Amino acid sequence: MGFRIDDLHHVQLLIPPDGEGAARGFYSGVLGMAEIVKPPVLAARGGCWFRGGGWEVHLSPVPDFAPARKAHPGVLISGLDALAATLEAAGHPVEWDPHFPGHRRLYSADAHGNRLEFLEKIRD
């Protein structure tokens, strides 16, 4: 092979038109991610981008929005119990799933109902 995959740059999720405020409340306010400035040509399309902990999420508004309830990013984190408490306190219920070998994991949803998976490696 003449190429290699180096890393994940970003995940794109959809939001409803004018959904940027709720997205900012979740990704910046709840998850503590920093909003990054979109290039002007892309900013004209709406939406918002966030970065934190080695991943970016790009949120794009679409007129016929429907939340992704099955497809999702899987985010590797430390402090899963603290994240679960933070999500619950902010009104985002968590669903624990013990079926991923070597990891603890949970699912939750962003402000628009998009599914998110958070995993923490089990330390030996």
Side-chain angles (χ1 to χ4, degrees), residues 3-71:
F3 70 91
R4 74 170 195 230
I5 297 173
D6 291 327
D7 207 346
L8 175 68
H9 185 273
H10 70 273
V11 172
Q12 181 171 357
L13 297 175
L14 302 178
I15 60 174
D18 300 317
E20 291 88 350
R24 286 181 178 102
F26 181 78
Y27 288 96
S28 285
V30 177
L31 296 184
M33 298 176 77
E35 186 168 358
I36 55 178
V37 176
K38 292 178 66 172
V41 67
L42 298 177
R45 301 177 187 172
C48 43
W49 294 359
F50 300 89
R51 179 184 297 141
W55 73 300
E56 284 185 19
V57 60
H58 296 181
L59 301 162
S60 298
V62 293
D64 56 344
F65 170 76
R69 300 210 188 271
K70 186 71 173 172

Side-chain angles (χ1 to χ4, degrees), residues 76-102:
L76 191 60
I77 70 157
S78 298
L80 192 62
D81 293 313
L83 173 63
T86 298
L87 288 166
E88 291 274 2
H92 299 275
V94 302
E95 174 188 343
W96 290 93
D97 183 349
H99 304 292
F100 197 91

